[in-house]
Structures are given as structure tokens and as C-alpha cells.
Coordinates of all heavy atoms in Angstrom, one line a residue:
M1 N -23.9 112.0 95.5 CA -23.9 111.5 96.8 C -22.4 111.7 97.4 O -22.2 112.3 98.4 CB -24.2 110.0 97.0 CG -25.7 109.8 96.9 SD -26.7 110.6 98.2 CE -28.3 109.9 97.9
N2 N -21.5 111.2 96.7 CA -20.1 111.3 97.1 C -19.5 112.6 96.8 O -19.0 112.8 95.7 CB -19.3 110.1 96.5 CG -18.0 110.0 97.2 OD1 -17.6 110.7 98.2 ND2 -17.1 109.1 96.7
K3 N -19.5 113.6 97.7 CA -18.9 114.9 97.4 C -17.5 115.0 97.9 O -17.2 115.5 99.0 CB -19.8 115.9 98.0 CG -21.0 116.2 97.2 CD -21.8 117.5 97.8 CE -22.9 117.8 96.9 NZ -23.7 118.9 97.4
A4 N -16.6 114.5 97.2 CA -15.2 114.5 97.6 C -14.5 115.8 97.2 O -13.6 116.2 97.9 CB -14.4 113.3 96.9
T5 N -15.0 116.5 96.2 CA -14.4 117.7 95.8 C -15.5 118.8 95.8 O -16.7 118.6 95.7 CB -13.8 117.6 94.4 OG1 -14.9 117.1 93.5 CG2 -12.6 116.7 94.3
T6 N -15.0 120.0 95.9 CA -15.9 121.2 95.8 C -15.7 121.9 94.5 O -14.7 122.6 94.4 CB -15.7 122.1 97.0 OG1 -14.3 122.4 97.1 CG2 -16.2 121.6 98.3
P7 N -16.5 121.7 93.5 CA -16.3 122.2 92.1 C -16.1 123.7 92.1 O -15.2 124.2 91.4 CB -17.6 121.8 91.4 CG -18.2 120.7 92.2 CD -17.8 121.0 93.6
N8 N -16.8 124.5 92.9 CA -16.7 125.9 92.8 C -15.4 126.4 93.3 O -14.7 127.2 92.6 CB -17.8 126.6 93.7 CG -19.2 126.4 93.0 OD1 -19.2 126.2 91.8 ND2 -20.2 126.4 93.8
G9 N -14.9 125.9 94.4 CA -13.6 126.3 95.0 C -12.5 125.9 94.0 O -11.6 126.6 93.8
N10 N -12.6 124.7 93.5 CA -11.6 124.1 92.6 C -11.5 125.0 91.3 O -10.4 125.1 90.8 CB -11.9 122.7 92.2 CG -11.5 121.7 93.3 OD1 -10.9 122.2 94.3 ND2 -11.8 120.5 93.1
K11 N -12.6 125.5 90.8 CA -12.6 126.3 89.6 C -11.8 127.5 89.8 O -10.9 127.9 88.9 CB -14.1 126.7 89.2 CG -14.3 126.4 87.7 CD -15.8 126.8 87.4 CE -16.6 125.5 87.2 NZ -18.0 125.8 87.0
L12 N -12.0 128.2 90.9 CA -11.2 129.4 91.2 C -9.7 129.0 91.4 O -8.8 129.7 90.9 CB -11.7 130.0 92.5 CG -11.3 131.5 92.7 CD1 -12.1 132.4 91.7 CD2 -11.7 131.9 94.1
S13 N -9.4 128.0 92.1 CA -8.0 127.5 92.3 C -7.4 127.1 91.0 O -6.2 127.4 90.7 CB -8.0 126.4 93.3 OG -8.5 126.8 94.5
A14 N -8.2 126.4 90.1 CA -7.7 126.0 88.9 C -7.3 127.2 88.0 O -6.3 127.2 87.3 CB -8.7 125.1 88.1
F15 N -8.0 128.3 88.1 CA -7.8 129.5 87.4 C -6.4 130.1 87.9 O -5.6 130.5 87.2 CB -8.9 130.5 87.6 CG -8.7 131.8 87.0 CD1 -8.8 131.9 85.6 CD2 -8.5 133.0 87.7 CE1 -8.6 133.1 85.0 CE2 -8.4 134.2 87.1 CZ -8.4 134.3 85.7
F16 N -6.3 130.1 89.2 CA -5.1 130.5 89.9 C -3.9 129.7 89.4 O -2.8 130.2 89.1 CB -5.3 130.4 91.4 CG -4.1 130.9 92.2 CD1 -4.1 132.3 92.6 CD2 -3.1 130.1 92.6 CE1 -3.0 132.7 93.3 CE2 -2.0 130.5 93.4 CZ -2.0 131.9 93.7
C17 N -4.1 128.4 89.3 CA -3.0 127.5 88.9 C -2.6 127.7 87.5 O -1.5 127.6 87.1 CB -3.4 126.1 89.1 SG -3.5 125.6 90.9
N18 N -3.6 128.1 86.6 CA -3.4 128.3 85.2 C -2.4 129.5 85.0 O -1.6 129.5 84.1 CB -4.7 128.6 84.5 CG -5.3 127.4 84.0 OD1 -4.7 126.3 83.8 ND2 -6.6 127.4 83.8
I19 N -2.5 130.4 85.9 CA -1.6 131.6 85.8 C -0.3 131.4 86.5 O 0.8 131.6 85.9 CB -2.3 132.8 86.4 CG1 -3.7 133.1 85.7 CG2 -1.4 134.1 86.4 CD1 -4.6 134.1 86.4
F20 N -0.3 130.9 87.7 CA 0.9 130.8 88.5 C 1.5 129.4 88.5 O 2.6 129.2 89.0 CB 0.6 131.2 90.0 CG 0.1 132.7 90.1 CD1 -1.2 133.0 90.3 CD2 1.0 133.7 89.9 CE1 -1.6 134.3 90.4 CE2 0.6 135.0 90.0 CZ -0.7 135.3 90.2
G21 N 0.8 128.4 88.0 CA 1.3 127.1 88.0 C 0.9 126.4 89.3 O 0.5 127.0 90.3
H22 N 0.9 125.0 89.2 CA 0.4 124.2 90.4 C 1.5 124.2 91.4 O 2.7 124.3 91.2 CB 0.2 122.8 89.9 CG -0.9 122.7 88.9 ND1 -2.3 122.8 89.3 CD2 -0.9 122.4 87.6 CE1 -3.0 122.7 88.2 NE2 -2.2 122.4 87.1
K23 N 1.0 124.1 92.7 CA 1.9 124.0 93.8 C 1.8 122.5 94.3 O 0.9 122.2 95.1 CB 1.5 124.9 94.9 CG 2.5 125.0 96.0 CD 2.1 125.9 97.1 CE 3.2 126.1 98.2 NZ 3.1 125.2 99.3
Y24 N 2.7 121.6 93.7 CA 2.5 120.2 94.1 C 3.2 119.9 95.4 O 4.3 120.3 95.7 CB 3.2 119.4 93.0 CG 2.4 119.4 91.7 CD1 3.0 119.8 90.5 CD2 1.0 119.1 91.6 CE1 2.3 119.8 89.3 CE2 0.4 119.2 90.4 CZ 1.0 119.5 89.3 OH 0.3 119.6 88.1
I25 N 2.5 119.1 96.2 CA 3.1 118.6 97.4 C 3.0 117.0 97.3 O 2.0 116.5 96.7 CB 2.4 119.1 98.7 CG1 0.9 119.0 98.5 CG2 2.8 120.5 99.0 CD1 0.1 119.2 99.8
V26 N 4.0 116.3 97.8 CA 4.0 114.9 97.7 C 2.8 114.3 98.6 O 2.7 114.6 99.8 CB 5.3 114.3 98.2 CG1 5.3 112.8 98.2 CG2 6.5 114.8 97.4
S27 N 2.0 113.6 97.9 CA 0.8 113.0 98.7 C 1.1 111.5 99.0 O 0.6 111.0 100.0 CB -0.5 113.1 97.9 OG -0.3 112.5 96.6
K28 N 2.0 110.9 98.2 CA 2.3 109.5 98.4 C 3.6 109.1 97.8 O 3.9 109.5 96.7 CB 1.2 108.6 97.8 CG 1.3 107.2 98.3 CD 0.0 106.5 98.1 CE 0.1 105.3 97.1 NZ -1.2 104.7 96.8
K29 N 4.4 108.4 98.6 CA 5.7 107.9 98.0 C 5.5 106.5 97.6 O 5.1 105.6 98.4 CB 6.7 107.9 99.1 CG 8.0 108.5 98.7 CD 9.0 108.6 99.9 CE 10.4 108.5 99.4 NZ 11.4 108.6 100.5
V30 N 5.6 106.3 96.2 CA 5.3 104.9 95.7 C 6.6 104.1 95.8 O 6.7 103.1 96.4 CB 4.8 105.0 94.3 CG1 4.5 103.6 93.7 CG2 3.5 105.8 94.3
T31 N 7.7 104.6 95.1 CA 9.0 104.0 95.2 C 10.0 105.2 95.4 O 9.6 106.3 95.6 CB 9.3 103.2 93.9 OG1 9.6 104.2 92.8 CG2 8.3 102.3 93.5
H32 N 11.3 104.8 95.3 CA 12.3 105.9 95.5 C 12.1 106.9 94.3 O 12.4 108.1 94.5 CB 13.7 105.3 95.4 CG 14.1 104.6 96.7 ND1 13.9 105.2 97.9 CD2 14.6 103.4 96.9 CE1 14.3 104.4 98.8 NE2 14.7 103.3 98.3
H33 N 11.7 106.5 93.2 CA 11.7 107.4 92.0 C 10.3 107.9 91.7 O 10.1 108.8 91.0 CB 12.3 106.7 90.8 CG 13.6 106.2 91.0 ND1 14.7 107.0 91.2 CD2 14.1 104.9 91.2 CE1 15.8 106.3 91.4 NE2 15.5 105.0 91.5
I34 N 9.3 107.1 92.1 CA 7.9 107.5 91.7 C 7.1 108.0 92.9 O 7.1 107.3 94.0 CB 7.2 106.3 91.1 CG1 7.9 105.9 89.8 CG2 5.7 106.6 90.8 CD1 7.4 104.6 89.1
K35 N 6.6 109.1 92.8 CA 5.8 109.7 93.8 C 4.5 110.2 93.3 O 4.4 110.6 92.1 CB 6.5 110.9 94.5 CG 7.7 110.5 95.3 CD 8.4 111.7 95.9 CE 9.7 111.4 96.5 NZ 10.8 111.2 95.6
E36 N 3.5 110.3 94.1 CA 2.2 111.0 93.7 C 2.2 112.4 94.4 O 2.6 112.5 95.5 CB 1.0 110.2 94.2 CG 0.8 108.9 93.4 CD -0.3 108.0 93.9 OE1 -1.1 108.5 94.8 OE2 -0.4 106.9 93.4
Y37 N 1.7 113.3 93.6 CA 1.7 114.7 94.1 C 0.2 115.2 94.0 O -0.6 114.8 93.2 CB 2.5 115.6 93.2 CG 4.0 115.2 93.1 CD1 4.4 114.3 92.2 CD2 4.9 115.8 94.0 CE1 5.7 114.0 92.1 CE2 6.2 115.4 93.9 CZ 6.7 114.5 93.0 OH 8.0 114.2 92.9
K38 N 0.0 116.2 94.9 CA -1.3 116.8 94.9 C -1.1 118.3 94.9 O -0.3 118.8 95.7 CB -2.2 116.4 96.1 CG -3.6 116.8 96.0 CD -4.3 116.5 97.3 CE -5.2 115.3 97.2 NZ -5.9 115.0 98.5
C39 N -1.8 119.1 94.1 CA -1.7 120.5 94.1 C -2.4 121.1 95.3 O -3.5 120.7 95.6 CB -2.3 121.1 92.8 SG -2.2 122.9 92.8
A40 N -1.6 121.9 96.0 CA -2.2 122.5 97.3 C -3.3 123.4 97.0 O -4.1 123.7 97.9 CB -1.1 123.2 98.0
H41 N -3.4 123.9 95.8 CA -4.5 124.9 95.5 C -5.7 124.2 94.9 O -6.8 124.3 95.4 CB -4.0 125.9 94.5 CG -2.9 126.7 95.1 ND1 -3.0 127.5 96.2 CD2 -1.6 126.9 94.7 CE1 -1.8 128.1 96.5 NE2 -0.9 127.7 95.6
C42 N -5.6 123.5 93.8 CA -6.7 122.9 93.1 C -6.9 121.4 93.3 O -7.9 120.9 92.8 CB -6.6 123.2 91.6 SG -5.3 122.3 90.8
K43 N -6.1 120.8 94.1 CA -6.2 119.4 94.5 C -6.0 118.5 93.3 O -6.3 117.3 93.4 CB -7.5 119.1 95.2 CG -7.9 120.1 96.3 CD -7.0 120.0 97.5 CE -7.3 121.0 98.6 NZ -6.2 121.4 99.4
M44 N -5.4 119.0 92.2 CA -5.2 118.1 91.1 C -4.1 117.1 91.4 O -3.1 117.5 92.1 CB -4.8 118.9 89.8 CG -4.7 118.0 88.6 SD -4.4 119.0 87.1 CE -2.7 118.6 86.8
Q45 N -4.3 115.9 91.1 CA -3.3 114.9 91.4 C -2.5 114.4 90.2 O -3.0 114.2 89.1 CB -4.0 113.6 92.0 CG -4.4 113.9 93.5 CD -5.1 112.7 94.1 OE1 -6.2 112.3 93.7 NE2 -4.4 112.1 95.0
V46 N -1.2 114.4 90.4 CA -0.3 113.9 89.3 C 0.6 112.9 89.9 O 0.8 112.7 91.1 CB 0.5 115.1 88.7 CG1 -0.4 116.1 87.9 CG2 1.3 115.8 89.7
T47 N 1.3 112.2 89.0 CA 2.2 111.2 89.4 C 3.4 111.1 88.5 O 3.3 111.5 87.3 CB 1.6 109.8 89.5 OG1 2.5 108.8 90.0 CG2 1.1 109.3 88.1
T48 N 4.5 110.6 88.9 CA 5.7 110.4 88.1 C 5.4 109.2 87.2 O 5.0 108.2 87.8 CB 7.0 110.2 88.9 OG1 6.9 110.9 90.1 CG2 8.2 110.5 88.2
D49 N 5.5 109.3 85.9 CA 5.3 108.2 85.1 C 6.6 107.5 84.8 O 7.7 107.9 85.3 CB 4.6 108.5 83.8 CG 5.4 109.4 82.9 OD1 6.6 109.6 83.1 OD2 4.8 110.0 81.9
V50 N 6.6 106.4 84.0 CA 7.8 105.6 83.7 C 8.9 106.4 83.1 O 10.1 106.0 83.2 CB 7.5 104.3 82.9 CG1 6.8 103.3 83.7 CG2 6.6 104.7 81.7
N51 N 8.6 107.5 82.4 CA 9.6 108.3 81.8 C 10.2 109.4 82.7 O 11.0 110.2 82.3 CB 9.1 108.9 80.5 CG 8.6 107.9 79.5 OD1 9.3 107.0 79.3 ND2 7.4 108.1 79.0
G52 N 9.6 109.4 83.9 CA 10.1 110.4 84.9 C 9.4 111.8 84.8 O 9.7 112.7 85.4
N53 N 8.3 111.8 83.9 CA 7.6 113.0 83.7 C 6.3 113.0 84.6 O 5.9 111.9 85.1 CB 7.1 113.2 82.3 CG 8.3 113.2 81.3 OD1 9.3 113.9 81.5 ND2 8.2 112.4 80.2
L54 N 5.8 114.2 84.8 CA 4.6 114.2 85.6 C 3.4 114.0 84.7 O 3.2 114.7 83.7 CB 4.5 115.6 86.4 CG 5.4 115.8 87.6 CD1 5.1 117.2 88.2 CD2 5.2 114.7 88.6
S55 N 2.5 113.1 85.1 CA 1.3 112.8 84.4 C 0.1 113.0 85.3 O 0.2 112.7 86.5 CB 1.3 111.4 83.8 OG 2.3 111.2 82.9
K56 N -1.0 113.3 84.7 CA -2.2 113.4 85.5 C -2.5 112.0 86.1 O -2.4 111.0 85.4 CB -3.4 113.9 84.6 CG -4.5 114.4 85.5 CD -5.6 115.1 84.6 CE -6.7 115.5 85.5 NZ -8.0 115.6 84.7
L57 N -2.9 112.0 87.4 CA -3.1 110.7 88.0 C -4.5 110.1 87.6 O -5.5 110.5 88.1 CB -3.1 110.9 89.5 CG -3.1 109.6 90.3 CD1 -1.9 108.7 90.1 CD2 -3.2 109.9 91.8
T58 N -4.5 109.2 86.6 CA -5.7 108.6 86.2 C -5.9 107.3 87.0 O -5.0 106.8 87.6 CB -5.6 108.2 84.7 OG1 -4.4 107.3 84.5 CG2 -5.3 109.4 83.8
P59 N -7.1 106.8 87.0 CA -7.4 105.5 87.7 C -6.4 104.4 87.3 O -6.0 103.6 88.1 CB -8.8 105.2 87.3 CG -9.4 106.5 87.0 CD -8.4 107.3 86.4
E60 N -6.0 104.4 86.0 CA -5.1 103.4 85.5 C -3.7 103.6 86.1 O -3.1 102.6 86.6 CB -4.9 103.5 84.0 CG -6.1 103.0 83.2 CD -7.3 104.1 83.1 OE1 -7.0 105.2 83.4 OE2 -8.4 103.7 82.7
L61 N -3.2 104.8 86.2 CA -1.9 105.1 86.8 C -1.9 104.8 88.3 O -1.0 104.4 88.8 CB -1.5 106.6 86.5 CG -0.9 106.8 85.1 CD1 -0.7 108.3 84.9 CD2 0.4 106.1 84.9
Q62 N -3.1 105.2 88.9 CA -3.3 104.9 90.3 C -3.1 103.4 90.6 O -2.5 103.0 91.6 CB -4.6 105.4 90.7 CG -5.0 105.1 92.2 CD -4.8 106.3 93.1 OE1 -5.4 107.3 92.9 NE2 -3.8 106.2 93.9
E63 N -3.7 102.6 89.7 CA -3.6 101.2 89.9 C -2.2 100.7 89.7 O -1.7 99.8 90.5 CB -4.5 100.5 88.8 CG -5.0 99.2 89.2 CD -6.1 98.7 88.3 OE1 -7.2 99.3 88.3 OE2 -5.9 97.7 87.6
I64 N -1.5 101.2 88.7 CA -0.1 100.8 88.5 C 0.7 101.2 89.7 O 1.6 100.4 90.2 CB 0.4 101.6 87.2 CG1 -0.2 101.0 85.9 CG2 2.0 101.4 87.1 CD1 0.0 101.8 84.7
N65 N 0.5 102.4 90.2 CA 1.2 102.8 91.4 C 1.0 102.0 92.6 O 1.9 101.7 93.4 CB 0.9 104.3 91.7 CG 1.6 105.3 90.8 OD1 2.4 104.9 90.0 ND2 1.3 106.6 91.0
D66 N -0.3 101.6 92.8 CA -0.6 100.7 93.9 C 0.1 99.4 93.8 O 0.7 98.9 94.8 CB -2.1 100.4 93.9 CG -2.9 101.6 94.5 OD1 -2.2 102.5 95.1 OD2 -4.1 101.7 94.4
T67 N 0.2 98.8 92.6 CA 0.9 97.6 92.3 C 2.4 97.8 92.6 O 3.0 97.0 93.2 CB 0.7 97.1 90.8 OG1 -0.7 97.2 90.6 CG2 1.2 95.7 90.6
L68 N 3.0 98.9 92.0 CA 4.4 99.2 92.2 C 4.7 99.3 93.7 O 5.7 98.8 94.2 CB 4.7 100.5 91.5 CG 5.0 100.4 90.0 CD1 5.2 101.8 89.5 CD2 6.2 99.5 89.7
E69 N 3.8 100.0 94.4 CA 4.1 100.3 95.8 C 4.1 98.9 96.6 O 4.9 98.7 97.5 CB 2.9 101.2 96.4 CG 3.2 101.6 97.8 CD 2.0 102.3 98.4 OE1 0.9 102.1 97.9 OE2 2.2 103.1 99.3
D70 N 3.2 98.1 96.2 CA 3.1 96.8 96.8 C 4.3 96.0 96.6 O 4.9 95.4 97.6 CB 1.8 96.0 96.2 CG 1.4 94.9 97.1 OD1 1.3 95.1 98.3 OD2 1.1 93.8 96.6
I71 N 4.8 95.9 95.3 CA 6.0 95.2 95.0 C 7.2 95.8 95.7 O 8.0 95.1 96.3 CB 6.3 95.2 93.5 CG1 5.2 94.5 92.7 CG2 7.6 94.6 93.1 CD1 5.1 94.7 91.2
F72 N 7.3 97.1 95.7 CA 8.4 97.9 96.3 C 8.4 97.6 97.8 O 9.5 97.3 98.4 CB 8.2 99.4 96.1 CG 9.3 100.2 96.6 CD1 10.5 100.3 96.0 CD2 9.1 100.9 97.8 CE1 11.6 101.1 96.5 CE2 10.1 101.7 98.3 CZ 11.4 101.8 97.6
N73 N 7.3 97.7 98.5 CA 7.3 97.4 99.9 C 7.7 96.0 100.3 O 8.4 95.8 101.2 CB 5.9 97.7 100.5 CG 5.6 99.2 100.6 OD1 6.6 100.0 100.6 ND2 4.4 99.6 100.6
K74 N 7.2 95.1 99.5 CA 7.5 93.7 99.7 C 9.0 93.4 99.6 O 9.6 92.8 100.4 CB 6.7 92.8 98.8 CG 5.4 92.3 99.3 CD 4.7 91.4 98.4 CE 3.2 91.3 98.7 NZ 2.4 91.0 97.6
R75 N 9.5 93.9 98.5 CA 11.0 93.8 98.2 C 11.8 94.4 99.3 O 12.8 93.9 99.7 CB 11.3 94.3 96.8 CG 12.7 93.9 96.3 CD 13.0 94.5 95.0 NE 12.1 94.1 93.9 CZ 12.0 94.7 92.7 NH1 12.7 95.7 92.5 NH2 11.2 94.2 91.8
H76 N 11.4 95.7 99.6 CA 12.1 96.4 100.6 C 12.1 95.7 102.0 O 13.1 95.6 102.6 CB 11.5 97.8 100.7 CG 12.3 98.8 101.5 ND1 13.5 99.3 101.0 CD2 12.1 99.3 102.8 CE1 14.0 100.1 102.0 NE2 13.2 100.1 103.0
R77 N 10.9 95.2 102.3 CA 10.8 94.5 103.6 C 11.6 93.2 103.6 O 12.3 92.9 104.5 CB 9.3 94.1 103.8 CG 9.0 94.0 105.3 CD 7.5 93.8 105.4 NE 6.7 94.8 104.9 CZ 5.5 94.7 104.2 NH1 5.1 93.4 104.0 NH2 4.8 95.7 103.7
A78 N 11.6 92.5 102.4 CA 12.4 91.3 102.3 C 13.9 91.6 102.5 O 14.6 90.9 103.1 CB 12.1 90.6 101.0
L79 N 14.3 92.7 101.8 CA 15.7 93.1 101.9 C 16.1 93.5 103.3 O 17.1 93.1 103.8 CB 15.9 94.3 100.9 CG 17.3 94.6 100.4 CD1 17.5 93.6 99.3 CD2 17.3 96.0 99.8
T80 N 15.3 94.2 103.9 CA 15.5 94.7 105.3 C 15.6 93.5 106.2 O 16.5 93.4 107.1 CB 14.4 95.6 105.8 OG1 14.0 96.4 104.7 CG2 15.0 96.5 106.9
T81 N 14.7 92.5 106.0 CA 14.6 91.3 106.9 C 15.9 90.5 106.7 O 16.5 90.1 107.7 CB 13.4 90.5 106.5 OG1 12.3 91.3 106.5 CG2 13.2 89.4 107.6
S82 N 16.3 90.3 105.4 CA 17.5 89.5 105.1 C 18.8 90.1 105.7 O 19.6 89.5 106.2 CB 17.7 89.2 103.7 OG 18.0 90.4 103.0
Q83 N 18.8 91.5 105.6 CA 20.0 92.2 106.1 C 20.0 92.1 107.6 O 21.0 91.9 108.2 CB 19.9 93.7 105.8 CG 20.4 94.0 104.4 CD 20.2 95.4 103.9 OE1 19.4 96.1 104.6 NE2 20.8 95.8 102.8
H84 N 18.8 92.1 108.2 CA 18.7 92.0 109.7 C 19.2 90.7 110.1 O 19.9 90.5 111.1 CB 17.2 92.3 110.1 CG 17.1 92.5 111.5 ND1 17.5 93.6 112.2 CD2 16.6 91.6 112.5 CE1 17.2 93.5 113.5 NE2 16.7 92.3 113.7
Q85 N 18.8 89.7 109.3 CA 19.2 88.3 109.7 C 20.7 88.1 109.6 O 21.3 87.4 110.4 CB 18.5 87.3 108.8 CG 17.0 87.0 109.3 CD 16.2 86.3 108.2 OE1 16.6 86.1 107.1 NE2 15.1 85.8 108.6
K86 N 21.3 88.8 108.6 CA 22.7 88.6 108.4 C 23.5 89.2 109.6 O 24.4 88.7 110.1 CB 23.1 89.4 107.1 CG 23.5 88.4 106.0 CD 23.9 89.2 104.8 CE 23.1 88.8 103.6 NZ 23.2 89.7 102.4
V87 N 23.0 90.4 110.0 CA 23.6 91.1 111.2 C 23.4 90.2 112.4 O 24.3 90.0 113.2 CB 22.9 92.5 111.4 CG1 23.5 93.1 112.6 CG2 23.2 93.3 110.2
A88 N 22.2 89.7 112.6 CA 21.9 88.8 113.8 C 22.5 87.4 113.6 O 23.5 87.1 114.1 CB 20.4 88.7 114.0
Ligands
ZN1 ZN1 -3.2 123.4 90.9

């Protein structure tokens, strides 16, 4: 029912990526150091892991990133707010 990907197109793109390598574009900025990437050709998603390497974006890593993003945004917002208050 849920056709999010097109297997046939991806297969050809994946073949292309196997030869020329993936063309990753940033799909989501999680923190300053952690980003999620998506291959422009085969739509494969990867993310920066805790070691700074690119790992395939698994549901587990996606969940970790969501949590990190949440913490990061809250902290960033709190920091910005406090700085703003100091200025004001
Ligand atoms: Zn690719």
C-alpha cells in the first residue's frame, strides 16, 4: 500500500552508485556535527554516527537523531533566549 520508493528506478540508480559512488546531499541537520544525508541517485539515507563516520540510516539511528535534534534545539533555543535576555 505505502509506495514510498520505486524499486525498479532505485535498482538502476543503485547500480550507478556502485560504480561512481553515492551523491549525498544533506537531508536534515541534526546538530552542528551530525547530519542526515540522502543520495540524489538511489535515495539511500545515511547519517553521521557518534564516531563521525557515515552509517546507513536505520530506524534506530533515526530515533537517536530525532532525540538528539530535540535536545539540540531545546538547548539552542534556551541559549539564544538567555543571550537575548542578557542583551535586553
Ligand atoms: Zn546512491
Side-chain angles (χ1 to χ4, degrees):
M1 282 301 189
N2 191 5
K3 279 189 177 174
T5 53
T6 49
N8 289 336
N10 280 356
K11 225 178 255 175
L12 198 73
S13 298
F15 180 69
F16 183 87
C17 288
N18 272 334
I19 300 167
F20 299 105
H22 297 285
K23 187 181 188 266
Y24 292 126
I25 47 169
V26 177
S27 59
K28 191 162 121 185
K29 225 175 153 182
V30 181
T31 70
H32 284 311
H33 305 290
I34 298 174
K35 294 181 186 78
E36 287 177 10
Y37 302 87
K38 191 188 253 181
C39 176
H41 298 301
C42 69
K43 312 293 178 208
M44 189 174 107
Q45 286 182 288
V46 292
T47 183
T48 326
D49 65 14
V50 282
N51 300 314
N53 302 313
L54 286 181
S55 295
K56 199 172 175 203
L57 188 65
T58 58
E60 287 81 15
L61 280 172
Q62 176 98 66
E63 205 170 297
I64 292 169
N65 280 357
D66 284 347
T67 311
L68 279 175
E69 189 190 21
D70 199 44
I71 295 165
F72 182 76
N73 284 340
K74 269 183 199 152
R75 194 183 293 168
H76 192 71
R77 207 175 301 141
L79 206 74
T80 323
T81 313
S82 68
Q83 275 173 350
H84 191 73
Q85 280 169 346
K86 253 180 236 168
V87 177

